[in-house]
Amino acid sequence: MLGMADTQQAEEQVEAAAGTAADKRAGRRTARLTKQIRAFADSHGGSAEGQLAHIGRGRVRIALVGANGEWGNLVADSFDSAKDAATASGITLQDDFDGDLAAKVRTGRYEWSRMAGIQVGGPSNG
């Protein structure tokens, strides 16, 4: 039969192991985000800028704008993960998605038709 000290020690070991597993998963997710950001930058002019925004339930959107004006989004599980991935990938982070960063975005025919929708004769959703 386990004594009180033994039970407490066993519980602490289980909690530590669970924390370590969660830390490893978070590290793998951050590494995957870093790889995706680098791939985006490499395929869109060799560099990119980004902006981080909370989107709810602890998730963070990483808005990316490539050197060629192409843009895209990734989603991270936490602000720390998003910031770590952006920093590790070497992109420049902006505080806001307005002004200079927004002016760099190049939109194409598809984006304009999706923004206008059927109101201006864009393709239907059906």
Side-chain angles (χ1 to χ4, degrees):
M1 183 164 186
L2 293 176
M4 184 64 92
D6 294 332
T7 303
Q8 184 177 2
Q9 184 179 10
E11 288 173 357
E12 289 171 358
Q13 288 174 347
V14 168
E15 288 174 8
T20 302
D23 292 342
K24 287 180 182 179
R25 280 192 302 276
R28 286 193 300 268
R29 288 184 187 128
T30 300
R32 186 170 42 249
L33 278 171
T34 301
K35 186 176 179 179
Q36 291 171 322
I37 294 169
R38 282 186 187 145
F40 177 87
D42 290 346
S43 64
H44 295 289
S47 65
E49 294 182 52
Q51 189 264 336
L52 308 180
H54 294 277
I55 57 174
R57 295 189 183 234
R59 297 202 173 233
V60 175
R61 178 189 71 170
I62 306 168
L64 299 168
V65 180
N68 66 356
E70 294 290 322
W71 58 277
N73 291 302
L74 293 170
V75 176
D77 291 333
S78 70
F79 187 84
D80 290 339
S81 177
K83 189 171 182 177
D84 290 348
T87 301
S89 68
I91 67 167
T92 302
L93 283 177
Q94 303 295 333
D95 293 331
D96 296 306
F97 197 95
D98 60 4
D100 293 335
L101 184 59
K104 293 177 183 179
V105 173
R106 189 185 74 195
T107 54
R109 182 177 165 175
Y110 172 78
E111 287 85 6
W112 281 102
S113 68
R114 295 300 295 164
M115 287 187 272
I118 58 174
Q119 294 86 357
V120 185
S124 67
N125 290 331

